Amino acid sequence: MRNAVDKKEKMEARVKKDIALFEENFSKIERVRDPADAKTIELARAYCEDAKFYLEKGDLFTAFGCINYAHGLLDAVRIRKEFAGENRRG
């Protein structure tokens, strides 16, 4: 039984850490002009809020999925912007 409690505590700590990391990365986002990027960033924020909701409800599996999806959306915007910037220099 203790092993299951340890796993749950570790998973909860991981989700909380990922939420904090997302919020840190989200705060570094500069204004975006592209409407698609703005929509993607808003979706990422919404998934983070969903992660917090599911964490509060004790659904760690769903919370973990939501926060990782949120990270992926932010990464997609960042990578697209970097790629677009590289293409303009060439």
Side-chain angles (χ1 to χ4, degrees):
M1 182 75 169
R2 181 65 193 155
N3 192 26
V5 171
D6 289 343
K7 285 182 181 181
K8 183 178 180 183
E9 289 173 356
K10 286 180 183 179
M11 183 66 160
E12 185 174 344
R14 173 69 188 268
V15 171
K16 287 179 179 179
K17 179 181 174 185
D18 285 349
I19 289 171
L21 179 60
F22 174 87
E23 289 176 339
E24 179 183 332
N25 290 336
F26 190 85
S27 72
K28 294 176 184 176
I29 294 174
E30 297 176 13
R31 290 186 97 98
V32 294
R33 292 190 175 115
D34 186 308
D37 286 345
K39 179 64 176 173
T40 303
I41 290 168
E42 179 56 28
L43 285 171
R45 188 200 60 73
Y47 272 100
C48 181
E49 292 304 312
D50 289 348
K52 291 176 187 178
F53 171 82
Y54 287 111
L55 177 64
E56 185 177 309
K57 297 294 181 190
D59 184 349
L60 301 176
F61 181 79
T62 304
F64 188 73
C66 288
I67 196 58
N68 279 284
Y69 199 75
H71 278 289
L73 289 168
L74 280 189
D75 285 346
V77 171
R78 181 185 53 81
I79 290 167
R80 194 200 66 73
K81 288 177 76 170
E82 287 174 4
F83 182 73
E86 286 178 10
N87 283 344
R88 286 189 205 122
R89 284 187 243 137

